[in-house]
C-alpha cells in the first residue's frame, strides 16, 4: 500500500501547503481508496502512518535552495541515502534524524518520496501565497503519476 501524508501547519500560510494538497485529494473520487493522512507538524503521526506501508508520499513546503516550483526527493529510508538537506515541517527534529531514530522502531516503506514547493510566506494565515497555490495542481498530477492514476478531468 501507498500512504500520502500531508505535513505542515495550516495556520502558518505556505507552511500548510501539504495539508491544503491532501484536503483537496480527499475530495477527489480518484483518491477515495488511497490512504491519506494529515500529520500536521507531528513526526510521530508521520512515522505511524508510514509503518508497514510499501511506499510513502510526503507533501510539504520544502526549501532546499530551489528558486521556486516543485522539488522532489526519492529515497529508501532503510539505506543511508536519505537527504540531509531537508527540514520538513516537523519543527521538533530534522527529517534525517527522525528517519534514523525510527529505523529500529517502525517498519518503514522501501521508498519515500517527498514532494513540495518552496514557501513564499510563512506567517499567521490560513491562506497560501499565489505562488504556492499555483503549484497544487502540479503536485496532484505528480501524485497521480506516482500512483499510476490517469487524470479524470
Amino acid at each position: 500500500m501507498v500512504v500520502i501524508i500531508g505535513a505542515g501547519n495550516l495556520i502558518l500560510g505556505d507552511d500548510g501547503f501539504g495539508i491544503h494538497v491532501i484536503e483537496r485529494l480527499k475530495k477527489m473520487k480518484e483518491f477515495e481508496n488511497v490512504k491519506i493522512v494529515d500529520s500536521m507538524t507531528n513526526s510521530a503521526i508521520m512515522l505511524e502512518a508510514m509503518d508497514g506501508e510499501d511506499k510513502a508520499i510526503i507533501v510539504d513546503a520544502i526549501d532546499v535552495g530551489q528558486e521556486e516550483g516543485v522539488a522532489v526527493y526519492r529515497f529508501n529510508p532503510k539505506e543511508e541515502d536519505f537527504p540531509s538537506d531537508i527540514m520538513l515541517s516537523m519543527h521538533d527534529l530534522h527529517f534525517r534524524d527522525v528517519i534514523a531514530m525510527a529505523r529500529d522502531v517502525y517498519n518503514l516503506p522501501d521508498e519515500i518520496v517527498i514532494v513540495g514547493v518552496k514557501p513564499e510566506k510563512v506567517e499567521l494565515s490560513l491562506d497560501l501565497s499565489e505562488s504556492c497555490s499555483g503549484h497544487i495542481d502540479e503536485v496532484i498530477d505528480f501524485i497521480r503519476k506516482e500512483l499510476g492514476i490517469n487524470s479524470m478531468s
Side-chain angles (χ1 to χ4, degrees):
M1 286 284 291
V2 177
V3 61
I4 302 170
I5 302 168
N9 189 334
L10 198 55
I11 65 168
L12 288 178
D14 290 347
D15 191 55
F17 179 77
I19 309 304
H20 284 276
V21 170
I22 66 161
E23 289 304 317
R24 177 97 62 88
L25 294 177
K26 288 177 182 177
K27 296 175 184 170
M28 300 172 76
K29 188 170 181 67
E30 61 197 291
F31 294 98
E32 66 186 14
N33 294 320
V34 177
K35 181 179 176 183
I36 300 173
V37 175
D38 178 352
S39 73
M40 301 170 280
T41 60
N42 189 313
S43 56
I45 293 173
M46 181 179 290
L47 292 170
E48 193 68 36
M50 290 193 292
D51 191 29
E53 301 296 340
D54 298 319
K55 180 176 182 175
I57 300 172
I58 300 169
V59 185
D60 197 6
I62 54 174
D63 184 355
V64 290
Q66 78 271 34
E67 288 190 23
E68 73 169 78
V70 175
V72 175
Y73 277 88
R74 182 183 311 271
F75 64 99
N76 182 338
K78 296 174 184 171
E79 299 173 0
E80 294 294 332
D81 67 343
F82 52 81
S84 61
D85 56 347
I86 291 183
M87 182 72 175
L88 293 184
S89 298
M90 298 176 291
H91 300 285
D92 47 349
L93 292 170
H94 192 285
F95 187 67
R96 175 192 60 229
D97 298 332
V98 170
I99 293 297
M101 288 187 302
R103 281 185 173 154
D104 296 330
V105 178
Y106 295 94
N107 180 16
L108 296 174
D110 290 336
E111 183 178 24
I112 295 177
V113 179
I114 300 171
V115 58
V117 299
K118 184 174 185 171
E120 180 183 318
K121 294 181 181 177
V122 179
E123 59 191 23
L124 198 57
S125 173
L126 292 173
D127 299 319
L128 294 173
S129 66
E130 277 188 45
S131 64
C132 276
S133 63
H135 289 290
I136 287 179
D137 289 337
E138 183 181 354
V139 169
I140 290 173
D141 284 342
F142 173 84
I143 293 169
R144 281 188 185 108
K145 289 177 187 167
E146 286 291 315
L147 299 178
I149 296 173
N150 292 323
S151 175
M152 296 181 74
S153 58

